[in-house]
C-alpha cells in the first residue's frame, strides 16, 4: 500500500485523551485506578439543559441545520456575550461548531497560510501546537516560567514577533496552569498585538471558572481595535458540564465568521441539531448551576493545594481559575522511585499510574517536562485518595 501523507503521520495523538482512554480501560478491567487525567467536569449536565435536548429529539429536530449553526443559537451566544461582558456581536458575527476544539481548528484554518507563525505561550494546552502544525502553520512557543506565574509578558511576546507572525493564541483562564490574566496584563499583551497587527485567538472556555472573587476579562472588551482582531472562542463544555454535546462557538468580524462557515459547510455540514437546542437552553436558561459548580471547584482547589504543598518533594502554585493543578516535580528528577530513575514528567506519570494507580497528565505534551497536571474536576473523596496514594508512592 502507498504511504499515508507525511503531514498526517506527523500528527501526535492527544496526550490528554490518550491518558483518559487508558484510565477508562484500566477501570473497565477492574483495576482500582483514580483518574485526574482528562479535564471534564464530573457533574452531570443540568436537568433543564438535558430536557431541552430530549425535547428537540422528540420534536424531530434531528435533521441537518445551517452549517454555521441554527440562528437561535447564534443569537443566544450574542445574548450571553452581552449579558456577561457587555460585548456587542450580531448573529452574523458568530459561528457554531462541534466543540471549542473544532472551532479553534477552523479558526486557525481561516487565518493561517503555510509558514505563518502563531505564537503560543507555554505551558500550553496540548492541542494548540498540533493544530497549528495541522494547518501547516509554524508554532512559536514562548515559555512563561513558574516564577512568572506562568504568564506571558509583553516583552517576551514582542521578542517572539517576526514578519511572519500572524496571531497570538491565548487561553485565559489557562489549561494547564490555572492562571488568570488580569485586565492590565491582557491590555499590555493586546497593545503589542495591535502594534504588530496580529490576530488574537482568545480561548475563553474556562471563563466561568475563576476563584477568590476575581473578575474575568474577555479579550475583545479591551478596546474596539482589539475586538476587531480577536477571534473569541468559547463553548458549553466546561461552564455547563456538556463535554459530550460537542458545541463550541466563535465570535469575530463577519469576514472571518463567513470564511469559517464556508469551511464548516464542507467539513462537518453542521453541528448536531439537538445538541444545539441544548446549548440554547444552556446559554439563555437559568445560570445558577454555574455558580454552584464553580464553588465546588474552588473548595476542591483549596484543599488540593494545601495538601499537595505539605507533601515532601512536590509543590504547586495556587491556580486562580479552570480546574487544573501543575505539580512541580523538579526535585524528583534524577531520583529513583520504585526502581525507575525519574528523568521527566513522562517517567513520573507512567510510573505513578503503574505503581500508584493514579492517572495524571505529564506536561511534556504541554511544553514542559518539569510538571505533571492533575485535574480536580473530581470528587473530594477521590482528591484525598489520590493524594494519599501520592504520599505513599513517594515514600516507598
Ligand atoms: N480549549 C481548552 C483550553 C480546553 O482545555 C478544551 C478542553 N477540551 C477545549 C478548548 C475544547 O473544549 P470542547 O471542544 O470540549 O468545547
Ligand atoms: N481539555 C480537556 C483536557 O485538557 C479535555 C481533553 C481534550 O480535549 O484534550 O484534559
Amino acid at each position: 500500500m502507498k504511504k499515508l501523507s507525511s503531514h498526517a503521520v506527523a500528527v501526535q495523538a492527544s496526550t490528554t485523551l490518550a491518558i483518559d482512554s487508558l484510565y477508562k480501560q484500566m477501570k473497565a478491567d477492574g483495576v482500582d485506578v483514580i483518574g485526574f487525567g482528562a479535564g471534564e467536569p464530573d457533574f452531570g449536565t443540568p436537568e433543564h439543559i438535558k430536557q431541552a435536548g430530549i425535547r428537540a429529539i422528540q420534536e424531530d429536530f434531528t435533521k441537518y441545520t445551517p452549517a454555521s449553526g441554527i440562528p437561535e443559537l447564534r443569537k443566544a451566544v450574542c445574548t450571553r456575550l452581552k449579558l456577561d461582558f457587555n460585548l456587542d456581536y450580531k448573529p452574523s458575527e458568530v459561528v457554531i461548531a462541534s466543540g471549542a476544539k473544532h472551532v479553534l481548528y477552523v479558526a486557525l484554518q481561516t487565518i493561517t497560510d503555510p509558514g505563518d507563525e502563531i505564537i503560543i505561550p507555554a505551558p500550553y494546552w496540548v492541542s494548540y501546537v498540533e493544530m497549528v502544525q495541522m494547518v501547516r502553520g509554524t508554532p512559536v512557543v514562548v515559555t512563561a516560567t513558574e516564577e512568572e506565574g506562568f504568564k506571558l509578558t509583553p516583552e517576551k511576546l514582542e521578542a517572539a514577533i517576526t514578519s511572519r507572525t500572524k496571531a497570538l493564541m491565548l487561553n485565559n483562564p489557562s489549561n494547564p496552569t490555572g492562571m488568570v490574566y488580569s485586565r492590565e496584563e491582557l491590555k499590555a499583551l493586546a497593545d503589542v498585538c495591535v502594534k504588530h497587527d496580529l490576530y488574537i485567538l482568545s480561548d475563553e472556555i474556562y471563563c466561568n471558572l475563576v476563584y477568590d472573587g476575581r473578575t474575568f476579562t474577555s479579550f475583545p472588551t479591551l478596546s474596539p481595535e482589539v475586538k476587531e482582531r480577536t477571534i473569541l472562542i468559547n463553548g458549553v463544555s466546561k461552564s455547563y458540564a456538556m463535554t459530550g454535546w460537542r458545541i463550541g462557538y466563535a465570535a469575530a468580524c463577519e469576514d472571518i465568521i463567513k470564511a469559517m462557515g464556508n469551511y464548516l459547510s464542507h467539513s462537518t455540514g453542521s453541528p448536531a441539531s439537538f445538541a444545539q437546542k441544548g446549548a440554547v437552553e444552556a446559554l439563555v436558561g437559568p445560570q445558577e448551576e454555574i455558580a454552584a459548580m464553580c464553588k465546588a471547584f474552588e473548595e476542591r482547589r483549596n484543599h488540593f493545594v494545601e495538601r499537595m504543598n505539605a507533601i515532601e518533594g512536590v509543590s504547586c502554585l495556587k491556580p486562580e481559575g479552570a480546574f487544573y493543578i501543575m505539580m512541580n516535580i523538579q526535585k524528583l528528577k534524577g531520583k529513583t522511585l520504585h526502581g525507575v530513575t525519574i528523568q521527566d514528567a513522562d517517567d513520573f506519570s507512567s510510573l505513578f499510574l503503574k505503581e500508584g494507580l493514579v492517572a495524571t497528565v505529564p506536561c511534556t505534551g504541554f511544553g514542559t517536562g518539569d510538571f505533571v497536571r492533575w485535574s480536580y474536576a473530581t470528587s473530594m473523596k477521590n482528591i484525598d485518595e489520590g493524594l494519599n496514594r501520592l504520599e505513599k508512592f513517594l515514600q516507598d
Side-chain angles (χ1 to χ4, degrees):
M1 278 214 290
K2 294 203 174 171
K3 284 198 319 201
L4 299 184
S5 87
S6 46
H7 189 60
V9 169
V11 179
Q12 300 291 311
S14 156
T15 342
T16 46
L17 295 182
I19 302 254
D20 191 49
S21 58
L22 180 60
Y23 155 73
K24 284 179 179 150
Q25 188 55 53
M26 287 172 80
K27 199 122 185 114
D29 292 343
V31 181
D32 171 30
V33 61
I34 309 184
F36 295 88
E40 64 176 341
D42 53 323
F43 303 106
T45 302
E47 191 54 36
H48 64 104
I49 301 176
K50 285 199 246 189
Q51 288 309 324
I54 292 168
R55 228 174 14 253
I57 293 177
Q58 282 170 341
E59 288 169 2
D60 276 331
F61 195 75
T62 52
K63 306 285 163 54
Y64 294 136
T65 76
S68 301
I70 53 175
E72 194 187 354
L73 180 52
R74 294 170 83 181
K75 194 159 163 261
V77 169
C78 298
T79 306
R80 194 73 262 142
L81 292 174
K82 180 71 184 168
L83 287 171
D84 286 351
F85 310 123
N86 199 25
L87 278 168
D88 287 304
Y89 285 100
K90 296 184 284 217
S92 57
E93 294 171 319
V94 169
V95 69
I96 313 296
S98 307
K101 189 181 265 189
H102 188 210
V103 179
L104 278 163
Y105 178 70
V106 175
L108 281 169
Q109 283 285 11
T110 307
I111 60 165
T112 315
D113 275 322
D116 280 354
E117 294 173 2
I118 310 288
I119 297 180
I120 303 175
Y124 47 78
W125 178 42
V126 62
S127 295
Y128 280 14
V129 164
E130 291 294 334
M131 277 190 204
V132 169
Q133 283 165 347
M134 283 159 74
V135 303
R136 292 173 161 80
T138 305
V140 174
V141 172
V142 183
T143 300
T145 63
E146 195 182 34
E147 293 69 38
E148 291 166 326
F150 294 124
K151 287 182 191 173
L152 177 66
T153 59
E155 294 76 25
K156 282 192 171 178
L157 172 60
E158 180 92 51
I161 293 171
T162 72
S163 57
R164 296 302 314 255
T165 309
K166 201 69 174 277
L168 165 67
M169 230 172 144
L170 194 72
N171 179 214
N172 179 43
S174 158
N175 173 8
T177 69
M179 289 305 157
V180 180
Y181 286 83
S182 68
R183 191 171 184 88
E184 293 65 40
E185 287 163 341
L186 290 178
K187 181 80 180 63
L189 295 177
D191 287 347
V192 179
C193 294
V194 172
K195 180 174 150 202
H196 293 274
D197 189 24
L198 306 186
Y199 287 110
I200 301 102
L201 270 82
S202 184
D203 178 350
E204 305 187 356
I205 191 93
Y206 297 100
C207 68
N208 285 307
L209 301 177
V210 294
Y211 311 127
D212 308 312
R214 275 185 183 76
T215 325
F216 166 78
T217 301
S218 178
F219 210 86
T221 62
L222 293 171
S223 75
E225 298 112 289
V226 174
K227 182 170 179 254
E228 208 173 58
R229 56 195 75 239
T230 301
I231 309 181
L232 163 62
I233 287 148
N234 208 327
V236 295
S237 285
K238 315 287 170 169
S239 295
Y240 303 97
M242 291 175 74
T243 46
W245 295 66
R246 310 307 304 129
I247 298 291
Y249 59 84
C253 65
E254 254 173 31
D255 286 356
I256 295 177
I257 292 301
K258 190 160 177 285
M260 288 178 71
N262 291 345
Y263 195 90
L264 286 164
S265 75
H266 291 293
S267 49
T268 43
S270 75
S273 54
F274 41 89
Q276 293 186 66
K277 288 282 189 179
V280 170
E281 177 62 24
L283 293 171
V284 294
Q287 302 290 303
E288 286 74 29
E289 278 167 85
I290 292 185
M293 289 192 259
C294 187
K295 186 164 171 281
F297 286 132
E298 182 164 352
E299 282 165 10
R300 293 169 185 183
R301 174 206 64 162
N302 293 346
H303 183 63
F304 209 132
V305 169
E306 202 178 307
R307 272 208 65 188
M308 180 166 287
N309 281 326
I311 298 174
E312 186 59 36
V314 294
S315 63
C316 66
L317 292 185
K318 191 173 192 179
E320 300 161 343
F323 40 59
Y324 304 103
I325 283 195
M326 291 279 277
M327 178 173 78
N328 186 326
I329 59 149
Q330 272 163 334
K331 283 195 193 152
L332 301 178
K333 281 169 72 175
K335 294 228 161 88
T336 301
L337 291 172
H338 304 266
V340 175
T341 304
I342 304 294
Q343 308 284 9
D344 63 11
D346 283 337
D347 293 340
F348 179 90
S349 283
S350 59
L351 191 68
F352 192 30
L353 180 58
K354 198 162 139 245
E355 300 289 336
L357 298 181
V358 175
T360 54
V361 182
C363 290
T364 331
F366 295 74
T368 164
D370 290 349
F371 294 85
V372 166
R373 189 192 81 173
W374 297 61
S375 157
Y376 53 91
T378 187
S379 67
M380 215 50 133
K381 183 165 165 278
N382 278 348
I383 290 171
D384 267 324
E385 180 55 21
L387 289 166
N388 290 345
R389 290 185 190 189
L390 175 67
E391 273 176 332
K392 187 160 178 298
F393 175 77
L394 294 176
Q395 276 159 16
D396 278 356

